[in-house]
Amino acid sequence: MAAVSDRLPAFPWDKLEPYKATAAAHADGIVDLSVGTPVDPVPQLIQRALIEAADSPGYPTVWGTVALRDAITGWVRGRLGASTAEHRNVLPVVGSKELVAWLPTQLGLGAGDKVAYPRLAYPTYEVGARLCGAEAVVYDDPTELDPAGVKLLWLNSPSNPTGKVLAKEDLVRIVAWAREHGILLFSDECYLELGWEAEPVSVLHDDVCGGSYEGIVAVHSLSKRSNLAGYRAAFVAGDADVLGELLEIRKHGGMMTPAPVQAATVAALGDDAHVEEQRERYAARRAALRTALEAHGFRVEHSEASLYLWVTRDEPCWDTVAHLAGLGILVAPGDFYGEAGARFVRVAFTATDERVAAAVKRLG
């Protein structure tokens, strides 16, 4: 067991604890903008669906109910523009982080294989590579990689942490390159519903993949769009052969989305009103924080989508973390996401309206 944990980097959030203590000592309490965890209520229609399915004494299936597959397939067709998606092109998963962390292992990757992901990225892409003993490689543009040995390519648009969105023409180019070299492409699109100054596009869109899902899979989560981080509700969609293999492995591993959560997911995917309501909340918080940060001397880069502002004062990120902690505001240092983030911090706008207002006041 120790040999496996030794492959992993130190858990980065532990380093933030002293700064969290400083921020918590503020007279008006901490404003925690470090983690993008939802704080608003789970919509009532989703809660009702969960409660109505609470009497679920039997085992759920890994592939999900027919109603769940219908809901996912319908959403993928309507929202992502994947017009030919069928049940065999979708698979529910127990939260997207689990999928990201264990995907290379479930694909059978190991020593001698490479897993590629953006230079600034969600740390779990690297964790997944390390868990199976594969080599983690970073890129600025994936088509500039040496394709030799690359078995899995991660895209992330909109990006965590930067909020950057890949243009449709770039997605077309990258999908073509991955197919040319026989590289499996997984696109983490968990923030796709949260575009502010850009309109994110899925790799499954007909205009991107040509109506074929060969060699490509998209990852989606209901954590952000529907405030369901506590439900662990997510799914993947795309290449039927890849998902079929994952389904067989996950059946043996008992990776089942609980039946009440499956029912809640059906309700969530069938309603757009709560998504728009939540978007409006986030838009207001984003605007208030952006204005306050810029007035305080920060420069915002990218941040055209997602739940974060990627900002800098042109100083080491830990100096910025310390400065803001002194104001009672906790943010995430940019180097959590790669060395290229060493002079940036990531500011989440997932706090309550009251806490965001407190942060704005302190920055003023």
Side-chain angles (χ1 to χ4, degrees):
M1 290 179 66
V4 175
S5 63
D6 285 348
R7 299 175 191 169
L8 304 179
F11 190 64
W13 294 96
D14 292 343
K15 294 172 62 179
L16 205 54
E17 285 301 314
Y19 302 91
K20 185 175 184 178
T22 297
H26 191 279
D28 186 35
I30 188 173
V31 178
D32 192 343
L33 307 178
S34 65
V35 182
T37 187
V39 297
D40 299 302
V42 173
Q44 284 296 317
L45 84 160
I46 300 175
Q47 292 191 44
R48 285 195 298 270
L50 184 84
I51 293 166
E52 290 168 3
D55 186 14
S56 298
Y59 291 110
T61 65
V62 173
W63 201 17
T65 62
V66 171
L68 177 60
R69 282 179 267 140
D70 279 343
I72 296 174
T73 303
W75 188 85
V76 166
R77 288 175 176 174
R79 180 63 183 86
L80 303 186
S83 65
T84 60
E86 302 174 359
H87 280 204
R88 65 195 189 100
N89 300 114
V90 301
L91 176 66
V93 295
V94 191
S96 59
K97 184 170 185 176
E98 167 263 307
L99 184 280
V100 173
W102 292 108
L103 178 65
T105 299
Q106 291 176 10
L107 292 173
L109 304 188
D113 297 324
K114 296 177 181 177
V115 175
Y117 53 87
R119 189 173 301 280
L120 281 166
Y122 183 45
T124 312
Y125 305 135
E126 178 186 1
V127 167
R130 290 194 181 208
L131 280 170
C132 73
E135 179 184 353
V137 296
V138 299
Y139 65 78
D140 295 306
D141 180 336
T143 65
E144 296 175 357
L145 286 168
D146 178 353
V150 178
K151 297 298 179 63
L152 173 62
L153 171 64
W154 279 107
L155 296 185
N156 180 208
S157 176
S159 163
N160 175 15
T162 69
K164 182 179 180 180
V165 173
L166 291 173
K168 183 188 289 186
E169 54 268 26
D170 288 324
L171 291 174
V172 171
R173 176 175 56 83
I174 294 166
V175 167
W177 179 86
R179 285 174 168 168
E180 177 187 353
H181 296 287
I183 297 170
L184 179 60
L185 188 159
F186 264 68
S187 179
D188 180 348
E189 302 175 352
C190 289
Y191 295 92
L192 184 130
E193 300 266 51
L194 296 163
W196 311 112
E197 297 160 3
E199 189 61 44
V201 178
S202 173
V203 292
L204 300 184
H205 194 288
D206 292 349
D207 292 347
V208 173
C209 67
S212 166
Y213 311 127
E214 179 184 356
I216 57 174
V217 177
V219 181
H220 283 270
S221 166
L222 281 75
S223 293
K224 316 301 186 187
R225 72 186 291 280
S226 300
N227 299 336
L228 295 188
Y231 283 46
R232 310 316 299 135
F235 60 89
V236 288
D239 190 313
D241 291 337
V242 174
L243 299 193
E245 176 68 10
L246 290 177
L247 174 59
E248 291 305 310
I249 294 166
R250 295 171 71 83
K251 286 195 298 188
H252 282 288
M255 294 178 170
M256 301 172 283
T257 302
V261 174
Q262 293 191 29
T265 301
V266 172
L269 290 176
D271 178 73
D272 292 331
H274 78 276
V275 179
E276 187 55 38
E277 182 180 347
Q278 190 59 44
R279 273 182 54 87
E280 291 174 1
R281 291 191 189 108
Y282 285 142
R285 293 167 186 166
R286 176 182 184 271
L289 282 170
R290 179 168 191 153
T291 299
L293 287 163
E294 289 178 332
H296 197 76
F298 283 92
R299 185 176 74 255
V300 179
E301 291 196 2
H302 301 303
S303 306
E304 57 258 35
S306 83
L307 289 177
Y308 314 107
L309 294 168
W310 185 242
V311 305
T312 181
R313 293 205 309 172
D314 294 312
E315 65 184 5
C317 61
W318 287 98
D319 290 353
T320 306
V321 170
H323 169 73
L324 291 174
L327 299 176
I329 301 169
L330 189 67
V331 299
D335 64 4
F336 276 10
Y337 308 95
E339 293 179 4
R343 298 179 74 82
F344 288 81
V345 296
R346 192 194 74 171
V347 182
F349 41 90
T350 51
T352 64
D353 291 343
E354 183 274 331
R355 288 289 84 188
V356 168
V360 169
K361 182 178 180 180
R362 295 174 197 185
L363 289 166

